[in-house]
């Protein structure tokens, strides 16, 4: 909380995802494309294949334009965005890996210079020197991946670094090698995709057909590296992390299954259009394949980002930028004394630092719908019990009074009034709504932290007593503060649901 909070109503997670996915898509191509160019050039030179050499010349123009201009722009954009979104995490990464970043920037400089020399050297250099420059380009580009990969994989699996603080423990962490192999596969696969895009613009010919097949081979080899290393990557993530995800985190699991499905679809597309129907690769087909590749890579990166929750650096810093090591201080002194830049509205400042990095009021991951028709006591209860909600959120690190201040701030921004009037519902339907809002975020029937067994066979009177004793069951559980109609409707719904659950279990 040493930095001011960049308060805009856009969802930060979404903003980050868009910039990051575009950047990784380009930056991995920058590596795979380099390899593709030198390997294909070596073969073409050996066979004096002028058609191929002309194609490669054209491809390298497209390549340098995309990677240097677009890659560098989105790379700067990433720094811009992470610095604004999570300055504390960015600071931690720079601080612990300063020499890694410095080396990465040197490799990047070599990469840029070599790319420019390669592009302008086609007709001016001897074939041998031209190829040497190409290999230098690829080597430097891959080394920059090697380094960034150490830092990215560290964020999910910092491992021994947490206790030793050693640079190499953090860098060569449990997902370093699987992630490096996986990303190298991605580079190779993307080379196949981009070069397919360029060749798709050519008129139908034998040359086009054979190049399409050649490109598909790159795509397939890339996928053959990617799919097993996806599995290897999963194995490297500590069991506790994946188990928690399976129990309570729908997002990373969805992302993971999307990654497999898009991966398979891409594999089939490469087989179909690269081998069977290779004379039919039009711009449209190439663009669809590109979109599949983007969707695949997007899902993987989304998985990697979301499975880390509630942390931004696992077991070290929460997603809202609060360091684990400071947790006891925050719980003791509250957050306010540690917020350096204060606006005068304490409720707003607290909300920003505790929740706003992941939530908006009514945009991306909105808080308003969760709290419409409720009250300050309930909102404060959810804030204090945030870590018990499905989805794996960070715990609230502050004092009682601060939770109440956030609740007050939120309460002023949600709709007031009984749920019955707000949603025009009656009876069990109203009860369902009350359940979704007041209980369902922590207890799912047939799912996360199911409580139907505890409620089974209870009469309305007994369920009523349970609602009165909410606070005695768990510190995290807010008291029931709905009105009488909501209480009766909830009791009716709970009875109905537990009977259902009973009749389904033999
Ligand atoms: C590290 C990011 C992060 C932080 C910090 C965070 N949340 Fe969340 N929260 C989420 C995500 C992501 C979800 C959605 C869970 C899902 O569907 O996977 C969520 C879900 C919720 C929900 C349930 C929403 C619904 O409609 O089901 C509520 C309520 C909520 N958060 C409140 C808060 C409050 C209050 C704070 C601050 C004390 C907070 N969160 C801090 C990420 C965060
Ligand atoms: C912020 C999260 C949260 C909310 C909201 C919440 N609970 Fe709970 N509830 C818990 C936790 C945590 C426990 C105790 C630990 C456990 O058993 O998992 C618990 C325990 C219970 C139990 C205990 C049973 C037993 O076996 O001892 C019942 C019944 C229950 N909740 C019902 C409800 C109902 C009904 C609502 C809505 C009115 C509700 N809860 C809202 C978090 C919550």
């Amino acid at each position: 909380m040493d930095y001011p909070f960049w308060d805009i109503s856009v969802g930060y997670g979404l903003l980050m995802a868009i910039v990051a996915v575009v950047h990784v898509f380009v930056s991995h191509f920058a590596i795979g494309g380099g390899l593709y160019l030198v390997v294909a050039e070596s073969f073409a030179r050996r066979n004096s294949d002028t058609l191929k050499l002309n194609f490669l010349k054209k491809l390298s123009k497209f390549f340098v334009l995309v990677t240097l201009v677009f890659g560098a722009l989105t790379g700067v954009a990433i720094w811009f965005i992470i610095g604004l979104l999570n300055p504390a995490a960015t600071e931690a990464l720079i601080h612990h890996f300063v020499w890694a970043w410095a080396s990465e920037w040197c490799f990047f400089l070599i990469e840029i210079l070599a790319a420019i020399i390669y592009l302008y050297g086609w007709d001016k250099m001897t074939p041998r020197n031209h190829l040497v420059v190409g290999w230098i380009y690829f080597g430097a580009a891959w080394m920059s991946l090697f380094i960034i990969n150490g830092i990215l994989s560290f964020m999910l699996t910092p491992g021994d670094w947490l206790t030793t603080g050693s640079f190499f423990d953090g860098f060569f962490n449990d997902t370093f090698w699987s992630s490096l192999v996986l990303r190298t596969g991605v580079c190779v696969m993307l080379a196949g995709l981009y070069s397919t895009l360029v060749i798709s613009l050519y008129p139908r010919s034998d040359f086009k057909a054979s190049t399409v097949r050649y490109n598909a081979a790159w795509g397939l080899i890339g996928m053959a590296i990617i799919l097993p290393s996806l599995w290897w990557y999963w194995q490297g993530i500590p069991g506790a992390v994946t188990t928690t995800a399976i129990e309570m985190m729908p997002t990373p699991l969805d992302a993971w299954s999307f990654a497999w499905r898009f991966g398979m679809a891409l594999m089939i597309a490469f087989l179909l259009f690269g081998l069977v129907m290779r004379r039919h690769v039009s711009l449209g087909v190439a663009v669809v394949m590109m979109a599949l590749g983007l969707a695949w890579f997007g899902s993987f990166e989304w998985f990697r980002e979301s499975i880390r929750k509630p942390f931004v650096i696992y077991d070290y810093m929460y997603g809202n930028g609060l360091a684990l090591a400071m947790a006891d201080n925050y719980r003791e002194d509250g957050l306010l004394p540690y917020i350096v830049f204060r606006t005068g509205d304490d409720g707003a400042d607290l909300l920003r630092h505790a929740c706003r990095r992941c939530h908006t009021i009514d945009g991306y991951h909105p808080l308003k719908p969760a709290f419409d028709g409720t009250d300050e006591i309930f909102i404060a209860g959810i804030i204090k019990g945030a870590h018990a909600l499905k989805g794996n959120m960070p715990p609230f690190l502050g004092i009682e009074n601060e939770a109440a201040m956030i609740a007050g701030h939120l309460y002023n921004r949600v709709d007031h009034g009984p749920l019955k009037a707000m949603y025009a519902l009656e009876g069990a339907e109203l009860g369902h709504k009350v359940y979704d809002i007041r209980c369902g975020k922590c207890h799912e029937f047939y799912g996360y932290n199911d409580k139907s067994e505890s409620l089974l066979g209870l009469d309305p009177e007994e369920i009523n007593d349970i609602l009165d004793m909410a606070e005695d069951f768990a510190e995290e559980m807010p008291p029931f503060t709905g009105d009488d109609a909501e209480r009766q409707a909830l009791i009716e719904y709970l009875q109905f649901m537990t009977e259902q659950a009973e009749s389904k279990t033999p």
Side-chain angles (χ1 to χ4, degrees):
M1 291 175 290
D2 298 336
Y3 297 92
F5 190 88
W6 186 49
D7 200 334
I8 53 162
S9 57
V10 173
Y12 299 123
L14 210 59
L15 197 62
M16 179 70 207
I18 293 168
V19 179
V21 166
V22 173
H23 178 70
V24 292
F25 209 59
V26 174
S27 57
H28 285 70
F29 166 59
I31 301 161
L35 183 65
Y36 180 99
L37 283 169
V38 281
V39 170
E41 186 189 344
S42 306
F43 279 108
R45 295 257 188 222
R46 209 169 302 155
N47 305 331
S48 307
D49 184 345
T50 41
L51 267 177
K52 189 62 162 252
L53 286 171
N54 282 333
F55 167 71
L56 293 175
K57 222 184 279 183
K58 208 174 257 180
L59 184 68
S60 61
K61 214 173 274 172
F62 168 77
F63 173 75
V64 168
L65 204 72
V66 169
T67 57
L68 295 198
V69 180
F70 207 55
L73 276 179
T74 53
V76 173
I78 290 242
W79 278 104
F80 214 81
I81 292 288
I82 62 171
L84 283 169
L85 297 195
N86 209 331
T90 309
E91 182 197 304
L93 291 181
I94 294 177
H95 186 89
H96 295 298
F97 291 104
V98 66
W99 289 109
W101 293 115
S103 331
E104 196 271 336
W105 284 325
C106 294
F107 282 116
F108 186 60
L109 191 66
I110 299 173
E111 183 184 329
I112 290 188
L113 292 176
I116 294 172
I117 296 170
Y118 185 82
L119 175 65
Y120 291 105
W122 272 103
D123 303 315
K124 300 192 181 70
M125 297 171 85
T126 62
R128 193 177 163 278
N129 286 348
H130 191 243
L131 275 171
V132 167
V133 171
W135 280 112
I136 291 177
Y137 170 85
F138 169 69
W142 190 80
M143 277 311 293
S144 68
L145 170 70
F146 185 90
I147 294 170
I148 297 276
N149 176 63
I151 299 170
L152 281 182
S153 54
F154 159 83
M155 292 170 77
L156 175 59
T157 51
D160 291 342
W161 175 88
L162 291 169
T163 41
T164 63
S166 140
F167 174 93
F168 290 103
D169 283 345
F171 192 84
F172 294 105
N173 57 74
D174 286 346
T175 50
F176 177 86
W177 294 107
S178 57
S179 165
L180 184 66
V181 172
L182 181 120
R183 289 179 185 279
T184 304
V186 171
C187 296
V188 173
M189 184 271 280
L190 285 179
L193 278 180
Y194 277 90
S195 48
T196 302
L197 187 67
V198 172
I199 195 71
S200 76
L201 298 166
Y202 277 51
R204 217 178 250 208
S205 67
D206 289 343
F207 171 72
K208 178 174 175 178
S210 72
T211 307
V212 164
R213 187 178 51 190
Y214 181 74
N215 296 345
W218 280 75
L220 287 168
I221 292 171
M223 291 310 294
I225 300 172
I226 289 170
L227 293 179
S229 41
L230 257 184
W231 178 83
W232 179 19
Y233 182 80
W234 175 277
Q235 301 300 315
I237 305 174
V241 178
T242 43
T243 314
T244 308
I246 291 168
E247 267 171 23
M248 63 188 292
M249 297 169 72
T251 310
L253 293 186
D254 288 349
W256 185 246
S257 86
F258 275 124
W260 280 99
R261 275 182 257 172
F262 284 127
M264 288 300 177
L266 199 57
M267 190 108 168
I268 292 168
F270 273 126
L271 282 170
L272 188 65
F273 288 104
L275 305 182
V276 186
M277 296 169 62
R278 61 202 158 92
R279 291 189 181 272
H280 298 273
V281 173
S282 59
L283 179 63
V285 169
V287 168
V288 169
M289 288 177 65
M290 200 74 166
L292 267 181
L294 193 67
W296 176 80
F297 208 7
S299 321
F300 171 72
E301 295 286 349
W302 183 31
F303 165 78
R304 191 180 57 76
E305 289 282 324
S306 57
I307 194 150
R308 230 171 31 214
K309 215 161 75 129
F311 297 101
V312 59
I313 299 172
Y314 207 85
D315 257 355
Y316 177 76
M317 184 180 282
Y318 288 112
N320 50 11
L322 302 189
L324 203 56
M326 287 291 288
D328 288 342
N329 301 50
Y330 297 144
R331 285 205 176 98
E332 187 115 334
D333 313 330
L335 293 172
L336 279 175
Y338 295 93
I339 301 179
V340 175
F341 294 84
R342 292 178 51 180
T343 60
D345 182 345
D346 288 347
D349 284 342
L350 285 165
L351 177 76
R352 288 182 184 120
H353 289 282
C355 325
R356 268 285 276 120
R357 227 151 236 137
C358 310
H359 291 286
T360 59
I361 299 287
D362 52 11
Y364 177 77
H365 277 168
L367 289 177
K368 182 172 175 295
F371 296 132
D372 277 341
T374 65
D375 51 88
E376 287 186 58
I377 294 176
F378 173 75
I379 302 175
I382 291 288
I383 293 170
K384 285 182 286 175
H387 56 282
L389 263 64
K390 187 175 178 185
N392 205 4
M393 267 197 291
F396 173 67
L397 299 176
I399 49 178
E400 183 87 26
N401 171 31
E402 292 178 335
M405 281 154 98
I406 300 180
H409 180 85
L410 286 172
Y411 183 68
N412 288 334
R413 282 157 187 78
V414 303
D415 295 339
H416 300 163
L419 293 173
K420 187 175 167 175
M422 201 174 281
Y423 296 100
L425 295 172
E426 296 268 357
E429 280 185 2
L430 175 61
H432 191 170
K433 191 81 204 173
V434 176
Y435 184 83
D436 282 352
I437 291 181
R438 289 191 178 263
C439 321
K441 292 176 179 63
C442 298
H443 306 294
E444 266 183 328
F445 283 107
Y446 316 112
Y448 174 67
N449 206 357
D450 188 354
K451 284 291 165 237
S452 52
E453 246 173 61
S454 316
L455 296 168
L456 199 64
L458 300 185
D459 59 33
E461 205 54 42
E462 288 165 319
I463 296 184
N464 191 37
D465 288 345
I466 285 193
L467 293 184
D468 282 337
M469 298 189 309
E471 282 165 301
D472 301 338
F473 287 126
E475 221 178 295
E476 295 90 349
M477 193 154 123
F480 185 82
T481 45
D483 64 19
D484 270 347
E486 288 165 16
R487 180 183 283 257
Q488 290 316 318
L490 177 62
I491 291 172
E492 193 181 326
Y493 176 74
L494 288 174
Q495 252 196 322
F496 171 75
M497 283 307 285
T498 47
E499 277 161 24
Q500 285 261 305
E502 186 182 32
S503 66
K504 278 193 188 152
T505 40

